[in-house]
Amino acid sequence: MKWFRNFANGFNGWRGGKWARYLVSGLIVGLLVAVLIEIGLAWGYIWYLMHPDCPDEKPAIQAPAIEIWLQTSEGAQLRAWYSPTQNGAVIITLGGLEGALGERQPPVRFLSERGFGVLQIDSRACAMPPLPVTLGAREAEDVAAALDYLQGQRGVEWIGVFGYSMGGAGAIRAAAKYPEIAAVVAEGGYFNLGDDIVETDGEPFWRRIFLYAIAGSFWLQSGENPWGISPIDDLPAINPRPVLLIYGEQEAASGRAEAQYSAALEPRYLWIVPGGDHGRNYQQEPREFEQRVLHFFEEALLK
């Protein structure tokens, strides 16, 4: 603390007068308090994101779909909804904070109607016991439990993955890790979690402190380095399996859609939905959305 004593001695000898010293002291204390408040707000914000309430409503399950429970690597039971395949292919779906169960994003009804099996994974907040939501980090590892389940199901020959938002990032990361996944559709995911959080171009100083506090809070609470959660760096590892990236026109720049497309290796596809935005792409172009996703999976898994 020698540096602090030197600073204090120099400060006490300052000739600006008693009231001036009080003013400077007050400013310093005020700055420290403001920084602590920002850190506290960032910590609370991340805690809220990682511990959302499990949705109260339980989606109606229509035959032939069945409710199943997957055993995660963390020893918890994670709820899912499985509709058996009629064509030999199954699509694992990953959603946002609330999971992919029922009618939540990404849409899957059109896949089932064309004979695809679908395994929709619920939010980790609904696991038994509840697990923290890690914004696509450990959600990618949960795909391993889905793969284990599907390996024991009759008629399953090919497996694809379809993710939305943080589930889109998780889909890319899971495919890079598990070669059993033969095709990937990722909609609206971030490119690198750390860089996505702390995009500070043009931001004022206090905003920058807050954003870095958010990234640090996530690291401390999850144990995952947000800069290590990087779909844009995972994309090359998926080759030679095909990837379809979907972004709305209003979210393509922030999601680095073009950069992710460039990072992926052939076969790769990018669809930027005209007028689309995060969570609104299917509503903007429902018919074309279904046609593009169906064509992609049929070409990748059934030909």
Side-chain angles (χ1 to χ4, degrees):
M1 299 295 290
K2 182 179 180 180
W3 67 270
F4 182 78
R5 289 195 298 271
N6 291 337
F7 170 78
N9 291 334
F11 183 63
N12 289 330
W14 183 45
R15 297 181 180 181
K18 179 175 66 176
W19 294 109
R21 290 198 297 273
Y22 287 160
L23 176 60
V24 173
S25 297
L27 289 173
I28 293 173
V29 171
L31 287 172
L32 291 174
V33 169
V35 169
L36 290 174
I37 289 174
E38 291 217 330
I39 292 174
L41 290 173
W43 185 271
Y45 174 70
I46 285 297
W47 193 94
Y48 173 79
L49 283 182
M50 291 181 57
H51 301 86
D53 292 333
C54 177
D56 292 331
E57 76 283 359
K58 292 186 178 180
I61 298 178
Q62 300 177 353
I66 57 173
E67 182 178 279
I68 62 173
W69 290 85
L70 306 173
Q71 180 74 34
T72 72
S73 60
E74 295 161 275
Q77 297 289 320
L78 184 59
R79 186 173 62 169
W81 187 4
Y82 178 56
S83 178
T85 179
Q86 303 299 316
N87 61 12
V90 175
I91 309 302
I92 299 170
T93 62
L94 306 173
L97 292 176
E98 293 187 340
L101 203 61
E103 296 298 321
R104 302 173 206 149
Q105 297 275 24
V108 298
R109 187 184 300 272
F110 66 94
L111 291 169
S112 297
E113 291 173 349
R114 287 289 283 267
F116 285 93
V118 179
L119 195 158
Q120 298 174 265
I121 299 179
D122 203 0
S123 171
R124 288 166 60 89
C126 299
M128 298 178 61
L131 295 171
V133 174
T134 59
L135 310 185
R138 295 178 194 158
E139 284 78 2
E141 298 173 5
D142 292 338
V143 173
L147 293 171
D148 288 342
Y149 175 83
L150 291 175
Q151 288 173 354
Q153 300 308 302
R154 181 179 302 175
V156 177
E157 299 182 56
W158 308 282
I159 300 172
V161 63
F162 182 10
Y164 159 72
S165 191
M166 74 174 200
I172 291 171
R173 300 183 69 244
K177 187 172 184 179
Y178 304 115
E180 301 96 319
I181 296 172
V184 182
V185 175
E187 179 195 354
Y190 54 80
F191 63 103
N192 176 287
L193 183 57
D195 288 341
D196 186 75
I197 292 173
V198 301
E199 283 191 293
T200 57
D201 291 345
E203 297 284 359
F205 175 72
W206 292 113
R207 175 70 173 171
R208 295 186 182 193
I209 292 177
F210 183 60
L211 294 176
Y212 274 98
I214 288 175
S217 296
F218 174 82
W219 195 338
L220 290 172
Q221 291 187 44
S222 69
E224 302 281 349
N225 177 358
W227 284 274
I229 306 171
S230 185
I232 196 169
D233 293 317
D234 291 323
L235 279 164
I238 299 175
N239 175 265
R241 295 162 290 162
V243 177
L244 168 61
L245 303 174
I246 300 175
Y247 284 89
E249 185 178 13
Q250 306 303 319
E251 64 175 345
S254 62
R256 302 292 197 276
E258 295 286 353
Q260 291 200 68
Y261 174 73
S262 297
L265 302 177
E266 297 290 355
R268 59 185 180 177
Y269 308 91
L270 171 63
W271 179 37
I272 297 180
V273 182
D277 203 348
H278 196 66
R280 300 293 303 171
N281 296 319
Y282 181 72
Q283 291 81 355
Q284 185 74 15
E285 295 283 353
R287 185 182 297 271
E288 186 169 0
F289 192 106
E290 292 180 2
Q291 290 177 344
R292 284 179 179 261
V293 173
L294 279 170
H295 178 75
F296 173 82
F297 279 131
E298 287 173 347
E299 289 291 318
L301 303 178
L302 303 181
K303 293 296 178 82

